[in-house]
Amino acid sequence: EYKDKVPVNTFATDVGGSATNTAVGVSRLGLKVGLSAVHGDDAMGMFVRKKLRDEHVDDRRIEEEKGGQTNTSVILVHESERTILPYYVPRTYKLSELPKARWMYLTTGGKGFEATYASILHQADANKSNLVVNAGPYQLRHGRAKVLSLIRESHLFISNKEEMQMAVGRRIEDDADLLREVRELTPGLILMTDGERGAFSFDGEKIMHIDPFPHKTVEKTGAGDAFTAGFLTAMISGGSVSDALRAGSINAASVIQHVGAQTGLLTKKELSLTLEKHKTFKPHQL
């Protein structure tokens, strides 16, 4: 009931957020990764910074806002489903100069983040980086036109099914029809995740689908970011789309078996062993 005090069985504090989850996931899988972001100089900010350093994520382009707070979410988990109550600290975002990198991954941000989009496009072009865009519901609700300008230039566009529907501006239920409509927005590869239905990719010719890797479900936070980390790492390492779908699904299944968005992220060795053990786990073409 509203206004009640509801006892809980367990409580945990951890680092989260799409940018940090994906950075840590890619780092554990053996790639060199840096993060550009902002946090406050509060205790949570220091907690985030220490975790990233422990995970070998280059933090030289993470800004610390003096006297500021760090974005924080409360996640309520009940019977493996979760409700997230996010708080985005109001900020005036300014993108620092990024180093040359083969890949640039842009994910969600709070109010005002769209002000950096022009700089992102410029730097991706100047550095000849492959741009990956993962647009969240906030960006698609409040700045859809600007998000679409990034998606049009993306090498890879990643979102869940609901966000893909928001991107095209209408609710298309058929997976193949939706992916073909999204293809009108970008010449790049499309990756669409859909929870317990697995994930789909479309390169303009073939639509591929992979089921979720068999797993027990403890808590689902971070599953999409884990999938992204596995998928991206495989693609960056020269793997096929099929290889990337397998890696993403296995990494996501591992995270779902733990509390928190990063605890179950696999190392390169752990992922390799699982891939080798389950050679028959593969996507199929629709």
Side-chain angles (χ1 to χ4, degrees):
E1 296 289 339
Y2 181 61
K3 296 185 179 180
D4 275 0
K5 291 183 178 179
V6 182
V8 298
N9 296 324
T10 59
F11 176 81
T13 303
D14 205 350
V15 175
S18 182
T20 52
N21 294 341
T22 308
V24 169
V26 170
S27 179
R28 285 197 192 177
L29 291 172
L31 295 186
K32 188 177 180 181
V33 58
L35 178 64
S36 177
V38 185
H39 64 67
D41 62 354
D42 53 359
M44 284 294 186
M46 300 305 101
F47 182 57
V48 171
R49 185 68 68 113
K50 182 180 185 306
K51 175 65 181 291
L52 292 172
R53 287 175 176 170
D54 290 345
E55 295 286 354
H56 308 292
V57 174
D58 186 337
D59 66 348
R60 288 176 292 175
R61 289 167 183 82
I62 299 178
E63 297 180 25
E64 180 180 295
E65 185 177 67
K66 298 301 180 184
Q69 294 176 289
T70 300
N71 292 348
T72 305
S73 296
V74 174
I75 303 175
L76 308 174
V77 182
H78 179 64
E79 295 180 352
S80 80
E81 290 293 347
R82 84 281 192 273
T83 299
I84 302 179
L85 311 176
Y87 172 61
Y88 295 108
V89 179
R91 303 192 194 279
T92 301
Y93 289 98
K94 182 181 179 182
L95 187 68
S96 59
E97 185 175 349
L98 302 176
K100 288 188 176 181
R102 287 191 297 141
W103 293 73
M104 181 188 295
Y105 174 66
L106 172 69
T107 185
T108 58
K111 183 178 180 180
F113 189 73
E114 61 271 23
T116 65
Y117 284 2
S119 179
I120 287 164
L121 283 175
H122 172 74
Q123 294 201 46
D125 182 62
N127 294 335
K128 294 181 171 53
S129 302
N130 292 317
L131 179 62
V132 183
V133 176
N134 182 356
Y138 181 89
Q139 286 74 37
L140 290 166
R141 287 193 188 101
H142 300 283
R144 179 171 172 268
K146 289 188 176 181
V147 174
L148 292 182
S149 69
L150 287 174
I151 293 172
R152 278 193 292 271
E153 302 299 325
S154 65
H155 183 82
L156 171 61
F157 173 43
I158 302 172
S159 273
N160 63 35
K161 185 170 184 176
E162 292 76 17
E163 292 158 354
M164 292 282 180
Q165 291 170 333
M166 292 174 69
V168 300
R170 59 196 185 100
R171 195 176 184 86
I172 303 172
E173 292 299 338
D174 183 81
D175 301 310
D177 289 344
L178 176 57
L179 288 166
R180 292 189 183 100
E181 187 91 2
V182 175
R183 182 67 181 181
E184 298 297 316
L185 304 176
T186 176
L189 179 65
I190 300 164
L191 171 64
M192 180 175 77
T193 58
D194 194 18
E196 293 300 322
R197 296 184 63 241
F200 302 79
S201 69
F202 184 41
D203 62 2
E205 294 182 3
K206 293 189 296 185
I207 296 176
M208 305 291 290
H209 172 252
I210 193 163
D211 291 319
F213 187 71
H215 63 278
K216 65 175 183 178
T217 300
V218 173
E219 197 256 312
K220 298 179 180 179
T221 305
D225 297 327
F227 196 111
T228 296
F231 188 94
L232 265 180
T233 301
M235 293 292 292
I236 293 170
S237 302
S240 65
V241 173
S242 178
D243 295 332
L245 287 168
R246 294 181 70 220
S249 187
I250 289 171
N251 206 29
S254 180
V255 164
I256 286 172
Q257 297 179 61
H258 300 81
V259 173
Q262 299 181 12
T263 304
L265 289 168
L266 296 172
T267 64
K268 182 178 181 180
K269 181 178 180 181
E270 290 169 337
L271 178 59
S272 296
L273 288 173
T274 307
L275 287 167
E276 182 66 24
K277 184 178 179 180
H278 298 275
K279 291 182 178 179
T280 58
F281 178 69
K282 294 180 179 180
H284 64 274
Q285 185 174 345
L286 294 184

